[in-house]
Amino acid sequence: QYEDITPLFTPSPFIVFLEPQTKKNLFYKVRKGTKWGLINRQGETIISAEWDEIGYMRGIFTAKNSEQGTCLFLNQGERLLLNGIKAIEPALGNSSIRIETENGTGILNGFSGAWEIKPATQIVNANLRYYYVQDSTSKWGLFDRLGAAVFSIDYDSIKLIDRHVFLYQQGKMALGNLQGVLLLPPKFDEVNPLLADGSLYTNQLFYTRNNGVFRIFDELGRERYADWGLSDFKPVQASIGLLTKNDTILLAQFFKDELLLFPEMQIERMHPIAGLHYVYTQRGQQGVAQIFYNRIIDTSKFQKAQFDSLIPIPGPRDHSLYLAQQNNLWGVYNAQADSLFISTEFL
């Protein structure tokens, strides 16, 4: 009774290349004239032959024609009543499908037919495990890939950074973790990462500002270093930064759950060049520093700040050569030997 019969591969949500086809999930596309339908292994009609094309995605059958557009069906042929389907695509979970309709976007479990996240205004991937979800009131929440709410849809904006969630509500910022625990309440003008632990990169410090007051908290929400007189921060790399203490900018490092300050290194600016090398500015002069990862900073590896400007020369693997400027004249500085390779006498 059909002009064409074609097997339709319908893999399970698990590791499909290790799992052979079974009778219960084997279906056939069938054609009558120019229209396609779907039958199961027993020859029972699942989708009548009235469609221009038939497809499959994670437990859901897709059917399209010019009259009805895109429609979705479950295994037994039950049609999902969704208006104005615009797009369907795999979502984060192995069984999940992102469905965009004229009424919003939702995450459906194709094998159970249940909504993991009901249609909302927007659903945006935060990373490979979490979604940002926005409702019709323009509020945002954070959900995991199985549809469980980590933070409910109550916030003006949400940003996931590593293992922590930065939340903005009614003009104030808060901090949470991926267990849904609010570590700092929404009462700060600013909440930002400070430094990660350079020994294992597992612990994290954060800084807040509220009415001009600078404070430091750990990832359990406990305030730390309140009596140190710290007032500002500039990042250098994950575990290293510049902290202002009593109006003096000092080099700082977070290592083995302790914040270390280096008062002998009063540095105005510092930026990484490549690998372990940094250019720092001290009293308006620039020098080269070498900082090893997973070690406490050794300030003896800092070459003297003696140049008006240093520009790294591309090429050497050890990043040792720099164009060096002194009194508007240029030369070439070898940081490894701490000497001028070409004296600063050129325009």
Side-chain angles (χ1 to χ4, degrees):
Q1 57 180 312
Y2 303 110
E3 280 99 35
D4 194 356
I5 299 178
T6 304
L8 181 63
F9 184 46
T10 56
S12 79
F14 305 106
I15 305 175
V16 298
F17 53 83
L18 294 180
E19 182 173 322
Q21 280 284 43
T22 60
K23 291 182 180 180
K24 67 179 182 180
N25 69 351
L26 188 57
F27 296 85
Y28 295 89
K29 293 193 298 182
V30 293
R31 181 168 60 85
K32 284 186 174 182
T34 61
K35 299 297 182 180
W36 290 89
L38 189 74
I39 63 174
N40 62 18
R41 188 179 179 87
Q42 290 73 38
E44 300 166 334
T45 298
I46 302 299
I47 301 174
S48 59
E50 56 180 301
W51 304 91
D52 297 329
E53 57 181 275
I54 297 284
Y56 176 84
M57 182 183 295
R58 295 184 172 183
I60 291 292
F61 295 107
T62 62
K64 298 180 182 179
N65 63 24
S66 56
E67 294 80 19
Q68 302 180 64
T70 300
C71 295
L72 305 181
F73 295 84
L74 300 177
N75 279 1
Q76 304 304 317
E78 179 185 354
R79 182 169 174 174
L80 295 175
L81 300 177
L82 297 172
N83 296 324
I85 296 175
K86 297 180 179 179
I88 60 171
E89 61 183 13
L92 297 181
N94 291 333
S95 308
S96 306
I97 304 170
R98 181 196 302 269
I99 303 176
E100 181 184 353
T101 74
E102 60 186 20
N103 297 322
T105 301
I107 306 296
L108 184 78
N109 185 308
F111 291 87
S112 69
W115 288 105
E116 294 177 343
I117 301 177
K118 293 183 178 179
T121 303
Q122 281 194 79
I123 297 179
V124 180
N125 290 3
N127 59 21
L128 294 177
R129 296 181 60 193
Y130 295 91
Y131 301 103
Y132 301 126
V133 180
Q134 184 190 46
D135 68 4
S136 58
T137 66
S138 297
K139 297 293 184 181
W140 290 88
L142 184 72
F143 288 70
D144 68 18
R145 65 188 183 93
L146 299 179
V150 180
F151 287 98
S152 58
I153 306 178
D154 294 317
Y155 298 91
D156 300 322
S157 67
I158 294 180
K159 187 174 184 180
L160 175 60
I161 301 178
D162 194 16
R163 297 169 290 113
H164 298 93
V165 186
F166 297 82
L167 308 119
Y168 191 78
Q169 186 180 61
Q170 297 180 353
K172 294 293 183 179
M173 289 192 69
L175 177 69
N177 61 24
L178 291 177
Q179 288 70 51
V181 177
L182 201 62
L183 303 172
L184 298 176
K187 67 176 186 180
F188 299 97
D189 298 329
E190 188 178 347
V191 179
N192 285 301
L194 186 83
L195 296 171
D197 194 321
S199 59
L200 295 173
Y201 288 95
T202 53
N203 297 329
Q204 176 81 45
L205 292 178
F206 304 88
Y207 73 90
T208 67
R209 284 194 179 93
N210 197 42
N211 298 323
V213 178
F214 181 91
R215 300 166 69 186
I216 293 177
F217 294 85
D218 63 19
E219 60 182 5
L220 297 179
R222 302 173 300 191
E223 185 170 7
R224 300 180 65 176
Y225 314 110
D227 58 347
W228 282 27
L230 302 173
S231 59
D232 201 5
F233 170 73
K234 296 177 182 177
V236 175
Q237 56 108 303
S239 63
I240 298 170
L242 302 177
L243 279 168
T244 301
K245 180 177 181 178
N246 301 326
D247 298 324
T248 300
I249 302 175
L250 300 177
L251 181 64
Q253 180 183 27
F254 189 43
F255 192 83
K256 292 188 176 180
D257 201 37
E258 289 297 332
L259 184 61
L260 307 175
L261 298 181
F262 299 85
E264 71 276 16
M265 297 306 299
Q266 298 180 19
I267 295 176
E268 297 151 23
R269 290 184 300 277
M270 189 176 196
H271 62 272
I273 298 299
L276 308 174
H277 295 81
Y278 299 76
V279 168
Y280 71 96
T281 303
Q282 190 177 53
R283 299 181 185 90
Q285 299 288 291
Q286 291 192 339
V288 178
Q290 189 175 24
I291 297 176
F292 292 91
Y293 299 111
N294 301 322
R295 299 185 196 175
I296 294 177
I297 292 173
D298 182 359
T299 56
S300 68
K301 300 293 184 182
F302 286 46
Q303 307 295 4
K304 182 181 177 181
Q306 55 185 312
F307 300 103
D308 300 329
S309 180
L310 283 171
I311 302 173
I313 297 176
R317 290 186 177 182
D318 57 3
H319 309 288
S320 59
L321 295 182
Y322 296 79
L323 293 176
Q325 184 188 43
Q326 284 182 319
N327 301 319
N328 294 321
L329 296 175
W330 291 87
V332 175
Y333 172 66
N334 185 327
Q336 190 172 19
D338 191 22
S339 64
L340 283 167
F341 181 69
I342 299 175
S343 61
T344 51
E345 55 182 280
F346 297 92
L347 297 175

